[in-house]
Amino acid sequence: MKSFFKSAAWFLALFVIGILIFYSCGSSPQTLEEYQQECIQSMNKALQDPNNAIKQRIESAHKTVVVTSAHVTRCEATTIDGSNNAGVDGSNIASLKLNIMTRWDGMIHKNGYTVFSIEYDLSGGEYKVKNAGIIETNALVNTEDPEFWYAVGYAAGYLLF
């Protein structure tokens, strides 16, 4: 039961962050590049918070580590109509793929890193996590199963939309 409340609090925190980011976005049509840059900036800003839920989940997954930095290393969006027009607030975006690099220090392992990837399908007007998972890490401990990364991807979507 305690785990349920911890997970619920984590999703609520991400939801609030997502709403704040959503309302900070402009409402004029954007190019694909502008949309991608806005996604990177919004996510990177959210990742700077020392209490960011994604950073906390990385720490939880690797147990004795403290995340020292996190940032987007890749953002690739595709449009529904194949054009360079992302639309207003990403209304023409079909899919979005993000890679996020976290750096951390642990009790035993210093200067560690974890890169995870999140891919969304946005073509139906809502985002759906298509794929999520660790693509690279040098962590000695990773207690989370693959379903955890789908949850991270789902929650991180609230940061963007």
Side-chain angles (χ1 to χ4, degrees):
M1 191 71 165
K2 187 177 182 180
S3 176
F4 170 77
F5 288 116
K6 187 176 180 180
S7 293
W10 181 72
F11 282 114
L12 180 62
L14 287 176
F15 179 72
V16 170
I17 291 169
I19 289 173
L20 292 173
I21 290 171
F22 177 78
Y23 284 108
S24 70
C25 297
S27 59
S28 60
Q30 298 173 303
T31 66
L32 194 56
E33 178 63 27
E34 289 169 337
Y35 176 82
Q36 291 172 154
Q37 287 304 311
E38 187 173 284
C39 287
I40 291 169
Q41 290 172 359
S42 295
M43 183 65 83
N44 283 342
K45 184 175 181 181
L47 289 168
Q48 297 310 304
D49 180 355
N51 297 315
N52 180 278
I54 292 173
K55 291 164 98 175
Q56 290 176 348
R57 291 299 286 186
I58 296 293
E59 291 170 353
S60 175
H62 299 318
K63 291 298 179 199
T64 63
V65 307
V66 174
V67 173
T68 57
S69 69
H71 66 277
V72 176
T73 58
R74 177 180 178 205
C75 178
E76 183 179 320
T78 58
T79 58
I80 294 169
D81 63 7
S83 72
N84 189 38
N85 179 6
V88 175
D89 293 329
S91 61
N92 191 35
I93 299 297
S95 67
L96 179 68
K97 184 173 185 177
L98 298 170
N99 288 356
I100 298 173
M101 163 77 80
T102 60
R103 292 221 171 259
W104 42 263
D105 284 325
M107 292 171 56
I108 299 169
H109 188 171
K110 303 294 181 196
N111 198 29
Y113 69 91
T114 300
V115 179
F116 63 92
S117 179
I118 308 164
E119 188 173 358
Y120 299 98
D121 176 0
L122 302 165
S123 60
E126 278 186 28
Y127 73 91
K128 295 179 189 170
V129 177
K130 285 174 45 176
N131 194 12
I134 294 175
I135 57 175
E136 188 176 349
T137 187
N138 65 353
L140 301 174
V141 176
N142 183 17
T143 61
E144 303 289 350
D145 66 349
E147 291 299 314
F148 160 79
W149 297 106
Y150 278 94
V152 169
Y154 181 78
Y158 281 107
L159 295 174
L160 295 172
F161 308 102

